[in-house]
Amino acid sequence: LLEEVMDILLKQTEIYDIVGFQRTKLESMIKANEFPKPIKFGPRLRWKKSTVEAWMNNLEAEAV
């Protein structure tokens, strides 16, 4: 429970740095359910760090 509360919210620019692609590709992947949907945080979009990490771990597992 404490981990949930302490989960970091990543900005869109941080997501670009992590995954290596930009807005258009990210938006198309979200629409296709190939990338986690963001959380609306005021007028901005944010992603939970744990959700993005789980997505990356899943990619690694599929590649094995």
Side-chain angles (χ1 to χ4, degrees):
L1 181 64
L2 184 58
E3 287 177 7
E4 265 184 50
V5 174
M6 297 302 293
D7 203 359
I8 295 171
L9 295 177
L10 300 171
K11 298 179 203 173
Q12 202 160 0
T13 54
E14 293 172 309
I15 295 297
Y16 299 154
D17 291 341
I18 291 168
V19 298
F21 44 79
Q22 296 294 314
R23 184 178 57 90
T24 305
K25 175 71 174 170
L26 184 64
E27 288 174 357
S28 68
M29 288 182 72
I30 291 168
K31 286 180 183 176
N33 290 318
E34 296 172 352
F35 192 81
K37 290 185 179 2
I39 298 167
K40 191 87 166 150
F41 192 72
R44 293 168 176 79
L45 300 177
R46 297 289 188 261
W47 283 260
K48 288 174 71 174
K49 183 179 179 187
S50 62
T51 304
V52 175
E53 288 174 342
W55 175 80
M56 291 188 312
N57 290 337
N58 189 46
L59 285 180
E60 288 176 4
E62 289 176 3
V64 174

Tab-separated table of all heavy atoms in Angstrom:
chain	number	residue	atom	x	y	z
A	1	LEU	N	0.828	-1.201	0.000
A	1	LEU	CA	0.000	0.000	0.000
A	1	LEU	C	0.860	1.249	0.000
A	1	LEU	O	0.602	2.175	-0.748
A	1	LEU	CB	-0.948	-0.014	1.201
A	1	LEU	CG	-1.885	1.191	1.312
A	1	LEU	CD1	-2.841	1.233	0.123
A	1	LEU	CD2	-2.661	1.128	2.596
A	2	LEU	N	1.906	1.276	0.798
A	2	LEU	CA	2.792	2.433	0.826
A	2	LEU	C	3.452	2.649	-0.525
A	2	LEU	O	3.608	3.780	-0.974
A	2	LEU	CB	3.845	2.285	1.926
A	2	LEU	CG	4.787	3.473	2.121
A	2	LEU	CD1	3.987	4.748	2.427
A	2	LEU	CD2	5.761	3.195	3.248
A	3	GLU	N	3.802	1.555	-1.206
A	3	GLU	CA	4.402	1.673	-2.536
A	3	GLU	C	3.438	2.335	-3.509
A	3	GLU	O	3.849	3.122	-4.348
A	3	GLU	CB	4.812	0.302	-3.062
A	3	GLU	CG	6.035	-0.253	-2.378
A	3	GLU	CD	6.375	-1.646	-2.868
A	3	GLU	OE1	5.741	-2.121	-3.815
A	3	GLU	OE2	7.276	-2.250	-2.282
A	4	GLU	N	2.144	2.020	-3.412
A	4	GLU	CA	1.148	2.645	-4.274
A	4	GLU	C	1.103	4.141	-4.043
A	4	GLU	O	1.055	4.920	-4.979
A	4	GLU	CB	-0.243	2.052	-4.012
A	4	GLU	CG	-0.602	0.940	-4.931
A	4	GLU	CD	-2.011	0.456	-4.701
A	4	GLU	OE1	-2.936	1.288	-4.668
A	4	GLU	OE2	-2.178	-0.752	-4.537
A	5	VAL	N	1.100	4.544	-2.788
A	5	VAL	CA	1.032	5.952	-2.451
A	5	VAL	C	2.288	6.673	-2.923
A	5	VAL	O	2.234	7.806	-3.383
A	5	VAL	CB	0.836	6.143	-0.926
A	5	VAL	CG1	0.918	7.605	-0.540
A	5	VAL	CG2	-0.487	5.546	-0.486
A	6	MET	N	3.415	6.023	-2.834
A	6	MET	CA	4.695	6.637	-3.165
A	6	MET	C	5.073	6.488	-4.643
A	6	MET	O	6.153	6.885	-5.038
A	6	MET	CB	5.810	6.041	-2.287
A	6	MET	CG	5.629	6.295	-0.813
A	6	MET	SD	5.539	8.041	-0.393
A	6	MET	CE	7.196	8.548	-0.797
A	7	ASP	N	4.200	5.923	-5.460
A	7	ASP	CA	4.511	5.717	-6.874
A	7	ASP	C	4.752	7.069	-7.553
A	7	ASP	O	3.999	8.013	-7.361
A	7	ASP	CB	3.362	4.977	-7.570
A	7	ASP	CG	3.818	4.252	-8.815
A	7	ASP	OD1	5.004	4.320	-9.159
A	7	ASP	OD2	2.968	3.608	-9.440
A	8	ILE	N	5.806	7.142	-8.321
A	8	ILE	CA	6.178	8.379	-8.999
A	8	ILE	C	5.331	8.537	-10.253
A	8	ILE	O	5.089	7.573	-10.986
A	8	ILE	CB	7.678	8.336	-9.366
A	8	ILE	CG1	8.514	8.319	-8.097
A	8	ILE	CG2	8.059	9.507	-10.261
A	8	ILE	CD1	9.981	8.056	-8.334
A	9	LEU	N	4.909	9.763	-10.509
A	9	LEU	CA	4.190	10.069	-11.732
A	9	LEU	C	5.171	10.671	-12.730
A	9	LEU	O	5.837	11.666	-12.442
A	9	LEU	CB	3.040	11.048	-11.460
A	9	LEU	CG	1.932	10.511	-10.568
A	9	LEU	CD1	0.891	11.597	-10.310
A	9	LEU	CD2	1.265	9.301	-11.186
A	10	LEU	N	5.266	10.036	-13.886
A	10	LEU	CA	6.208	10.471	-14.918
A	10	LEU	C	5.529	11.409	-15.910
A	10	LEU	O	4.386	11.190	-16.306
A	10	LEU	CB	6.746	9.257	-15.671
A	10	LEU	CG	7.498	8.229	-14.828
A	10	LEU	CD1	7.776	6.986	-15.661
A	10	LEU	CD2	8.784	8.822	-14.290
A	11	LYS	N	6.260	12.435	-16.330
A	11	LYS	CA	5.776	13.375	-17.334
A	11	LYS	C	5.909	12.751	-18.717
A	11	LYS	O	6.680	11.815	-18.933
A	11	LYS	CB	6.614	14.654	-17.315
A	11	LYS	CG	6.575	15.407	-16.032
A	11	LYS	CD	7.477	16.625	-16.173
A	11	LYS	CE	7.940	17.120	-14.837
A	11	LYS	NZ	8.931	18.180	-14.964
A	12	GLN	N	5.191	13.344	-19.670
A	12	GLN	CA	5.235	12.840	-21.037
A	12	GLN	C	6.652	12.900	-21.603
A	12	GLN	O	7.091	11.960	-22.262
A	12	GLN	CB	4.278	13.666	-21.912
A	12	GLN	CG	3.850	12.965	-23.156
A	12	GLN	CD	2.583	13.552	-23.740
A	12	GLN	OE1	2.008	14.488	-23.212
A	12	GLN	NE2	2.143	13.008	-24.841
A	13	THR	N	7.388	13.955	-21.328
A	13	THR	CA	8.761	14.054	-21.833
A	13	THR	C	9.652	12.971	-21.234
A	13	THR	O	10.551	12.466	-21.904
A	13	THR	CB	9.364	15.445	-21.542
A	13	THR	OG1	9.241	15.733	-20.146
A	13	THR	CG2	8.671	16.523	-22.348
A	14	GLU	N	9.389	12.585	-19.987
A	14	GLU	CA	10.150	11.502	-19.366
A	14	GLU	C	9.826	10.172	-20.034
A	14	GLU	O	10.702	9.325	-20.204
A	14	GLU	CB	9.854	11.439	-17.871
A	14	GLU	CG	10.382	12.652	-17.116
A	14	GLU	CD	9.945	12.700	-15.670
A	14	GLU	OE1	8.723	12.571	-15.404
A	14	GLU	OE2	10.819	12.862	-14.805
A	15	ILE	N	8.575	9.987	-20.422
A	15	ILE	CA	8.166	8.770	-21.132
A	15	ILE	C	8.909	8.690	-22.461
A	15	ILE	O	9.425	7.638	-22.836
A	15	ILE	CB	6.639	8.732	-21.348
A	15	ILE	CG1	5.910	8.634	-20.012
A	15	ILE	CG2	6.235	7.597	-22.286
A	15	ILE	CD1	6.188	7.371	-19.229
A	16	TYR	N	9.003	9.818	-23.180
A	16	TYR	CA	9.735	9.831	-24.454
A	16	TYR	C	11.171	9.357	-24.247
A	16	TYR	O	11.701	8.578	-25.034
A	16	TYR	CB	9.761	11.231	-25.067
A	16	TYR	CG	8.419	11.835	-25.395
A	16	TYR	CD1	8.269	13.212	-25.433
A	16	TYR	CD2	7.305	11.055	-25.674
A	16	TYR	CE1	7.047	13.802	-25.739
A	16	TYR	CE2	6.081	11.627	-25.981
A	16	TYR	CZ	5.960	13.007	-26.015
A	16	TYR	OH	4.758	13.583	-26.308
A	17	ASP	N	11.813	9.856	-23.187
A	17	ASP	CA	13.196	9.470	-22.899
A	17	ASP	C	13.314	7.980	-22.573
A	17	ASP	O	14.264	7.321	-22.989
A	17	ASP	CB	13.752	10.278	-21.729
A	17	ASP	CG	13.967	11.744	-22.076
A	17	ASP	OD1	14.040	12.078	-23.277
A	17	ASP	OD2	14.048	12.556	-21.133
A	18	ILE	N	12.350	7.450	-21.840
A	18	ILE	CA	12.391	6.048	-21.423
A	18	ILE	C	12.179	5.100	-22.606
A	18	ILE	O	12.917	4.146	-22.786
A	18	ILE	CB	11.338	5.780	-20.321
A	18	ILE	CG1	11.746	6.491	-19.031
A	18	ILE	CG2	11.149	4.277	-20.088
A	18	ILE	CD1	10.646	6.535	-17.981
A	19	VAL	N	11.158	5.385	-23.416
A	19	VAL	CA	10.793	4.444	-24.476
A	19	VAL	C	11.474	4.722	-25.810
A	19	VAL	O	11.523	3.853	-26.668
A	19	VAL	CB	9.258	4.366	-24.669
A	19	VAL	CG1	8.579	3.867	-23.414
A	19	VAL	CG2	8.685	5.706	-25.080
A	20	GLY	N	11.980	5.944	-25.983
A	20	GLY	CA	12.731	6.247	-27.192
A	20	GLY	C	11.910	6.634	-28.409
A	20	GLY	O	12.420	6.635	-29.522
A	21	PHE	N	10.653	6.940	-28.227
A	21	PHE	CA	9.870	7.465	-29.342
A	21	PHE	C	9.026	8.638	-28.867
A	21	PHE	O	8.925	8.894	-27.680
A	21	PHE	CB	9.011	6.397	-30.033
A	21	PHE	CG	8.283	5.457	-29.106
A	21	PHE	CD1	7.118	5.843	-28.467
A	21	PHE	CD2	8.762	4.181	-28.899
A	21	PHE	CE1	6.445	4.971	-27.627
A	21	PHE	CE2	8.091	3.305	-28.051
A	21	PHE	CZ	6.941	3.710	-27.417
A	22	GLN	N	8.451	9.366	-29.819
A	22	GLN	CA	7.786	10.632	-29.522
A	22	GLN	C	6.258	10.528	-29.531
A	22	GLN	O	5.696	9.443	-29.609
A	22	GLN	CB	8.256	11.698	-30.518
A	22	GLN	CG	9.737	12.011	-30.408
A	22	GLN	CD	10.106	12.670	-29.089
A	22	GLN	OE1	9.440	13.599	-28.640
A	22	GLN	NE2	11.164	12.195	-28.459
A	23	ARG	N	5.620	11.683	-29.461
A	23	ARG	CA	4.182	11.818	-29.236
A	23	ARG	C	3.316	10.992	-30.184
A	23	ARG	O	2.434	10.257	-29.736
A	23	ARG	CB	3.789	13.293	-29.324
A	23	ARG	CG	2.331	13.549	-29.008
A	23	ARG	CD	1.997	15.027	-29.052
A	23	ARG	NE	2.313	15.639	-30.322
A	23	ARG	CZ	1.477	15.710	-31.347
A	23	ARG	NH1	0.268	15.216	-31.254
A	23	ARG	NH2	1.854	16.283	-32.470
A	24	THR	N	3.540	11.104	-31.482
A	24	THR	CA	2.674	10.417	-32.447
A	24	THR	C	2.686	8.909	-32.237
A	24	THR	O	1.630	8.272	-32.199
A	24	THR	CB	3.101	10.761	-33.892
A	24	THR	OG1	3.109	12.179	-34.043
A	24	THR	CG2	2.162	10.150	-34.906
A	25	LYS	N	3.870	8.335	-32.098
A	25	LYS	CA	4.008	6.890	-31.880
A	25	LYS	C	3.384	6.499	-30.540
A	25	LYS	O	2.669	5.498	-30.447
A	25	LYS	CB	5.485	6.501	-31.925
A	25	LYS	CG	5.779	5.063	-31.605
A	25	LYS	CD	5.332	4.137	-32.694
A	25	LYS	CE	5.780	2.714	-32.392
A	25	LYS	NZ	5.177	1.757	-33.280
A	26	LEU	N	3.638	7.298	-29.497
A	26	LEU	CA	3.088	7.014	-28.180
A	26	LEU	C	1.562	7.023	-28.220
A	26	LEU	O	0.918	6.098	-27.718
A	26	LEU	CB	3.606	8.031	-27.156
A	26	LEU	CG	3.195	7.811	-25.715
A	26	LEU	CD1	3.772	6.505	-25.178
A	26	LEU	CD2	3.633	8.976	-24.850
A	27	GLU	N	0.981	8.039	-28.842
A	27	GLU	CA	-0.480	8.127	-28.935
A	27	GLU	C	-1.073	6.947	-29.686
A	27	GLU	O	-2.097	6.397	-29.280
A	27	GLU	CB	-0.895	9.441	-29.600
A	27	GLU	CG	-0.677	10.651	-28.720
A	27	GLU	CD	-0.962	11.963	-29.421
A	27	GLU	OE1	-1.287	11.955	-30.642
A	27	GLU	OE2	-0.860	13.009	-28.753
A	28	SER	N	-0.434	6.537	-30.770
A	28	SER	CA	-0.967	5.399	-31.527
A	28	SER	C	-0.864	4.107	-30.733
A	28	SER	O	-1.758	3.256	-30.792
A	28	SER	CB	-0.282	5.265	-32.890
A	28	SER	OG	1.063	4.894	-32.751
A	29	MET	N	0.217	3.954	-29.956
A	29	MET	CA	0.361	2.758	-29.129
A	29	MET	C	-0.673	2.732	-27.998
A	29	MET	O	-1.215	1.678	-27.686
A	29	MET	CB	1.773	2.674	-28.563
A	29	MET	CG	2.817	2.328	-29.603
A	29	MET	SD	4.459	2.164	-28.914
A	29	MET	CE	4.296	0.623	-28.012
A	30	ILE	N	-0.968	3.884	-27.420
A	30	ILE	CA	-1.987	3.956	-26.362
A	30	ILE	C	-3.348	3.582	-26.937
A	30	ILE	O	-4.081	2.791	-26.346
A	30	ILE	CB	-2.019	5.362	-25.712
A	30	ILE	CG1	-0.735	5.594	-24.909
A	30	ILE	CG2	-3.251	5.528	-24.825
A	30	ILE	CD1	-0.522	7.032	-24.465
A	31	LYS	N	-3.679	4.127	-28.106
A	31	LYS	CA	-4.971	3.819	-28.750
A	31	LYS	C	-5.096	2.340	-29.080
A	31	LYS	O	-6.183	1.771	-29.025
A	31	LYS	CB	-5.159	4.659	-30.008
A	31	LYS	CG	-5.480	6.094	-29.706
A	31	LYS	CD	-5.666	6.899	-30.975
A	31	LYS	CE	-5.923	8.359	-30.616
A	31	LYS	NZ	-6.023	9.200	-31.807
A	32	ALA	N	-3.968	1.707	-29.418
A	32	ALA	CA	-3.965	0.284	-29.773
A	32	ALA	C	-3.789	-0.611	-28.544
A	32	ALA	O	-3.627	-1.821	-28.680
A	32	ALA	CB	-2.858	0.008	-30.783
A	33	ASN	N	-3.823	-0.023	-27.353
A	33	ASN	CA	-3.607	-0.745	-26.090
A	33	ASN	C	-2.263	-1.465	-26.061
A	33	ASN	O	-2.132	-2.530	-25.482
A	33	ASN	CB	-4.755	-1.721	-25.814
A	33	ASN	CG	-6.031	-0.999	-25.476
A	33	ASN	OD1	-6.025	-0.018	-24.735
A	33	ASN	ND2	-7.136	-1.459	-26.037
A	34	GLU	N	-1.255	-0.864	-26.688
A	34	GLU	CA	0.091	-1.416	-26.685
A	34	GLU	C	0.991	-0.704	-25.682
A	34	GLU	O	2.151	-1.070	-25.517
A	34	GLU	CB	0.701	-1.302	-28.086
A	34	GLU	CG	-0.037	-2.124	-29.118
A	34	GLU	CD	0.445	-1.848	-30.527
A	34	GLU	OE1	1.247	-0.918	-30.744
A	34	GLU	OE2	-0.005	-2.561	-31.432
A	35	PHE	N	0.465	0.335	-25.043
A	35	PHE	CA	1.194	1.089	-24.023
A	35	PHE	C	0.178	1.537	-22.981
A	35	PHE	O	-0.968	1.826	-23.324
A	35	PHE	CB	1.901	2.302	-24.643
A	35	PHE	CG	2.895	2.946	-23.715
A	35	PHE	CD1	4.156	2.402	-23.567
A	35	PHE	CD2	2.558	4.067	-22.983
A	35	PHE	CE1	5.079	2.975	-22.702
A	35	PHE	CE2	3.466	4.654	-22.121
A	35	PHE	CZ	4.733	4.101	-21.981
A	36	PRO	N	0.578	1.593	-21.709
A	36	PRO	CA	-0.368	1.976	-20.653
A	36	PRO	C	-0.985	3.360	-20.879
A	36	PRO	O	-0.304	4.280	-21.325
A	36	PRO	CB	0.489	1.988	-19.379
A	36	PRO	CG	1.690	1.172	-19.700
A	36	PRO	CD	1.907	1.298	-21.169
A	37	LYS	N	-2.258	3.457	-20.563
A	37	LYS	CA	-2.949	4.739	-20.655
A	37	LYS	C	-2.461	5.663	-19.536
A	37	LYS	O	-2.167	5.211	-18.437
A	37	LYS	CB	-4.452	4.541	-20.526
A	37	LYS	CG	-5.085	3.854	-21.716
A	37	LYS	CD	-6.586	3.803	-21.558
A	37	LYS	CE	-7.361	3.175	-22.657
A	37	LYS	NZ	-6.791	2.607	-23.778
A	38	PRO	N	-2.387	6.956	-19.829
A	38	PRO	CA	-1.950	7.900	-18.799
A	38	PRO	C	-3.064	8.216	-17.813
A	38	PRO	O	-4.235	7.914	-18.056
A	38	PRO	CB	-1.584	9.141	-19.603
A	38	PRO	CG	-2.475	9.074	-20.796
A	38	PRO	CD	-2.618	7.606	-21.108
A	39	ILE	N	-2.661	8.840	-16.729
A	39	ILE	CA	-3.591	9.350	-15.726
A	39	ILE	C	-3.730	10.835	-15.988
A	39	ILE	O	-2.734	11.529	-16.204
A	39	ILE	CB	-3.025	9.136	-14.304
A	39	ILE	CG1	-2.842	7.656	-14.022
A	39	ILE	CG2	-3.909	9.799	-13.260
A	39	ILE	CD1	-2.012	7.384	-12.787
A	40	LYS	N	-4.940	11.341	-15.978
A	40	LYS	CA	-5.160	12.774	-16.135
A	40	LYS	C	-4.853	13.419	-14.790
A	40	LYS	O	-5.469	13.111	-13.782
A	40	LYS	CB	-6.614	13.019	-16.546
A	40	LYS	CG	-6.889	14.409	-16.976
A	40	LYS	CD	-6.599	14.555	-18.447
A	40	LYS	CE	-7.234	15.874	-18.907
A	40	LYS	NZ	-6.558	16.484	-19.975
A	41	PHE	N	-3.863	14.277	-14.759
A	41	PHE	CA	-3.419	14.940	-13.536
A	41	PHE	C	-3.560	16.434	-13.768
A	41	PHE	O	-2.654	17.082	-14.294
A	41	PHE	CB	-1.967	14.547	-13.236
A	41	PHE	CG	-1.486	14.927	-11.873
A	41	PHE	CD1	-1.948	14.252	-10.746
A	41	PHE	CD2	-0.576	15.943	-11.704
A	41	PHE	CE1	-1.504	14.597	-9.489
A	41	PHE	CE2	-0.115	16.290	-10.447
A	41	PHE	CZ	-0.591	15.614	-9.338
A	42	GLY	N	-4.748	16.965	-13.424
A	42	GLY	CA	-5.054	18.343	-13.800
A	42	GLY	C	-5.154	18.391	-15.316
A	42	GLY	O	-5.729	17.506	-15.931
A	43	PRO	N	-4.537	19.394	-15.943
A	43	PRO	CA	-4.585	19.469	-17.407
A	43	PRO	C	-3.509	18.615	-18.084
A	43	PRO	O	-3.447	18.543	-19.299
A	43	PRO	CB	-4.321	20.955	-17.672
A	43	PRO	CG	-3.481	21.385	-16.524
A	43	PRO	CD	-3.954	20.572	-15.332
A	44	ARG	N	-2.699	17.948	-17.294
A	44	ARG	CA	-1.566	17.198	-17.841
A	44	ARG	C	-1.775	15.687	-17.766
A	44	ARG	O	-2.577	15.205	-16.989
A	44	ARG	CB	-0.294	17.577	-17.093
A	44	ARG	CG	0.105	19.012	-17.351
A	44	ARG	CD	1.178	19.464	-16.401
A	44	ARG	NE	1.627	20.799	-16.693
A	44	ARG	CZ	0.978	21.910	-16.340
A	44	ARG	NH1	-0.157	21.848	-15.689
A	44	ARG	NH2	1.479	23.100	-16.637
A	45	LEU	N	-0.980	14.994	-18.563
A	45	LEU	CA	-0.990	13.535	-18.532
A	45	LEU	C	0.225	13.053	-17.757
A	45	LEU	O	1.318	13.585	-17.903
A	45	LEU	CB	-0.937	12.976	-19.960
A	45	LEU	CG	-2.085	13.366	-20.885
A	45	LEU	CD1	-1.842	12.794	-22.273
A	45	LEU	CD2	-3.409	12.903	-20.330
A	46	ARG	N	0.017	12.020	-16.948
A	46	ARG	CA	1.112	11.424	-16.183
A	46	ARG	C	0.962	9.909	-16.239
A	46	ARG	O	-0.134	9.375	-16.389
A	46	ARG	CB	1.071	11.872	-14.713
A	46	ARG	CG	1.270	13.365	-14.508
A	46	ARG	CD	2.708	13.756	-14.811
A	46	ARG	NE	3.000	15.127	-14.455
A	46	ARG	CZ	3.012	16.131	-15.310
A	46	ARG	NH1	2.719	15.924	-16.578
A	46	ARG	NH2	3.309	17.347	-14.918
A	47	TRP	N	2.089	9.222	-16.118
A	47	TRP	CA	2.104	7.765	-16.069
A	47	TRP	C	2.708	7.328	-14.758
A	47	TRP	O	3.721	7.887	-14.314
A	47	TRP	CB	2.953	7.197	-17.206
A	47	TRP	CG	2.295	7.219	-18.530
A	47	TRP	CD1	1.678	6.179	-19.152
A	47	TRP	CD2	2.203	8.325	-19.430
A	47	TRP	NE1	1.197	6.576	-20.366
A	47	TRP	CE2	1.501	7.894	-20.555
A	47	TRP	CE3	2.625	9.660	-19.378
A	47	TRP	CZ2	1.225	8.723	-21.639
A	47	TRP	CZ3	2.349	10.486	-20.451
A	47	TRP	CH2	1.661	10.024	-21.557
A	48	LYS	N	2.118	6.319	-14.139
A	48	LYS	CA	2.712	5.762	-12.926
A	48	LYS	C	3.984	5.010	-13.320
A	48	LYS	O	3.981	4.214	-14.263
A	48	LYS	CB	1.739	4.810	-12.247
A	48	LYS	CG	0.567	5.515	-11.582
A	48	LYS	CD	-0.454	4.539	-11.050
A	48	LYS	CE	0.062	3.807	-9.846
A	48	LYS	NZ	-0.963	2.950	-9.227
A	49	LYS	N	5.061	5.300	-12.618
A	49	LYS	CA	6.343	4.669	-12.909
A	49	LYS	C	6.228	3.148	-12.840
A	49	LYS	O	6.762	2.438	-13.689
A	49	LYS	CB	7.409	5.168	-11.942
A	49	LYS	CG	8.778	4.620	-12.214
A	49	LYS	CD	9.800	5.162	-11.239
A	49	LYS	CE	11.171	4.571	-11.526
A	49	LYS	NZ	12.141	4.941	-10.502
A	50	SER	N	5.500	2.645	-11.855
A	50	SER	CA	5.359	1.195	-11.705
A	50	SER	C	4.640	0.569	-12.903
A	50	SER	O	4.973	-0.540	-13.325
A	50	SER	CB	4.614	0.861	-10.407
A	50	SER	OG	3.303	1.396	-10.443
A	51	THR	N	3.689	1.282	-13.479
A	51	THR	CA	2.960	0.779	-14.639
A	51	THR	C	3.871	0.702	-15.854
A	51	THR	O	3.855	-0.286	-16.599
A	51	THR	CB	1.745	1.685	-14.945
A	51	THR	OG1	0.929	1.759	-13.785
A	51	THR	CG2	0.929	1.165	-16.105
A	52	VAL	N	4.690	1.733	-16.043
A	52	VAL	CA	5.624	1.751	-17.170
A	52	VAL	C	6.687	0.657	-16.991
A	52	VAL	O	7.038	-0.044	-17.944
A	52	VAL	CB	6.260	3.146	-17.339
A	52	VAL	CG1	7.318	3.132	-18.432
A	52	VAL	CG2	5.184	4.179	-17.654
A	53	GLU	N	7.166	0.490	-15.766
A	53	GLU	CA	8.146	-0.567	-15.502
A	53	GLU	C	7.555	-1.942	-15.767
A	53	GLU	O	8.219	-2.810	-16.331
A	53	GLU	CB	8.648	-0.472	-14.058
A	53	GLU	CG	9.569	0.704	-13.830
A	53	GLU	CD	9.940	0.889	-12.370
A	53	GLU	OE1	9.254	0.343	-11.476
A	53	GLU	OE2	10.927	1.607	-12.125
A	54	ALA	N	6.300	-2.156	-15.374
A	54	ALA	CA	5.637	-3.436	-15.629
A	54	ALA	C	5.507	-3.676	-17.131
A	54	ALA	O	5.707	-4.798	-17.615
A	54	ALA	CB	4.265	-3.465	-14.959
A	55	TRP	N	5.190	-2.630	-17.888
A	55	TRP	CA	5.091	-2.732	-19.343
A	55	TRP	C	6.439	-3.149	-19.932
A	55	TRP	O	6.505	-4.039	-20.781
A	55	TRP	CB	4.621	-1.392	-19.922
A	55	TRP	CG	4.602	-1.349	-21.419
A	55	TRP	CD1	3.645	-1.863	-22.248
A	55	TRP	CD2	5.595	-0.762	-22.268
A	55	TRP	NE1	3.985	-1.625	-23.562
A	55	TRP	CE2	5.175	-0.944	-23.595
A	55	TRP	CE3	6.789	-0.094	-22.031
A	55	TRP	CZ2	5.913	-0.490	-24.683
A	55	TRP	CZ3	7.528	0.365	-23.111
A	55	TRP	CH2	7.090	0.161	-24.423
A	56	MET	N	7.526	-2.511	-19.471
A	56	MET	CA	8.871	-2.848	-19.969
A	56	MET	C	9.249	-4.278	-19.595
A	56	MET	O	9.813	-5.010	-20.417
A	56	MET	CB	9.907	-1.861	-19.439
A	56	MET	CG	9.738	-0.479	-20.029
A	56	MET	SD	11.050	0.717	-19.655
A	56	MET	CE	11.263	0.568	-17.908
A	57	ASN	N	8.942	-4.692	-18.369
A	57	ASN	CA	9.237	-6.063	-17.944
A	57	ASN	C	8.482	-7.077	-18.790
A	57	ASN	O	9.007	-8.141	-19.120
A	57	ASN	CB	8.905	-6.255	-16.468
A	57	ASN	CG	9.869	-5.507	-15.567
A	57	ASN	OD1	10.991	-5.202	-15.946
A	57	ASN	ND2	9.415	-5.188	-14.369
A	58	ASN	N	7.246	-6.748	-19.141
A	58	ASN	CA	6.442	-7.626	-19.982
A	58	ASN	C	7.062	-7.752	-21.370
A	58	ASN	O	7.091	-8.847	-21.940
A	58	ASN	CB	5.002	-7.109	-20.077
A	58	ASN	CG	4.089	-8.095	-20.753
A	58	ASN	OD1	4.117	-9.284	-20.452
A	58	ASN	ND2	3.288	-7.613	-21.677
A	59	LEU	N	7.579	-6.648	-21.915
A	59	LEU	CA	8.257	-6.705	-23.213
A	59	LEU	C	9.474	-7.617	-23.147
A	59	LEU	O	9.718	-8.395	-24.067
A	59	LEU	CB	8.702	-5.305	-23.639
A	59	LEU	CG	7.647	-4.354	-24.149
A	59	LEU	CD1	8.278	-3.017	-24.516
A	59	LEU	CD2	6.909	-4.920	-25.326
A	60	GLU	N	10.231	-7.495	-22.074
A	60	GLU	CA	11.420	-8.330	-21.899
A	60	GLU	C	11.034	-9.811	-21.807
A	60	GLU	O	11.692	-10.667	-22.373
A	60	GLU	CB	12.189	-7.926	-20.639
A	60	GLU	CG	12.902	-6.598	-20.769
A	60	GLU	CD	13.583	-6.171	-19.492
A	60	GLU	OE1	13.571	-6.927	-18.502
A	60	GLU	OE2	14.138	-5.052	-19.481
A	61	ALA	N	9.949	-10.105	-21.098
A	61	ALA	CA	9.502	-11.490	-20.942
A	61	ALA	C	9.057	-12.070	-22.288
A	61	ALA	O	9.307	-13.237	-22.586
A	61	ALA	CB	8.368	-11.568	-19.923
A	62	GLU	N	8.401	-11.234	-23.113
A	62	GLU	CA	7.947	-11.696	-24.425
A	62	GLU	C	9.119	-11.939	-25.364
A	62	GLU	O	9.055	-12.779	-26.243
A	62	GLU	CB	6.997	-10.675	-25.053
A	62	GLU	CG	5.655	-10.599	-24.368
A	62	GLU	CD	4.761	-9.517	-24.936
A	62	GLU	OE1	5.165	-8.851	-25.915
A	62	GLU	OE2	3.658	-9.327	-24.400
A	63	ALA	N	10.214	-11.202	-25.170
A	63	ALA	CA	11.375	-11.319	-26.047
A	63	ALA	C	12.195	-12.571	-25.770
A	63	ALA	O	12.972	-13.008	-26.607
A	63	ALA	CB	12.267	-10.086	-25.901
A	64	VAL	N	11.992	-13.168	-24.607
A	64	VAL	CA	12.771	-14.353	-24.228
A	64	VAL	C	12.226	-15.601	-24.890
A	64	VAL	O	11.133	-15.765	-25.184
A	64	VAL	CB	12.792	-14.532	-22.686
A	64	VAL	CG1	13.460	-15.824	-22.307
A	64	VAL	CG2	13.477	-13.355	-22.059
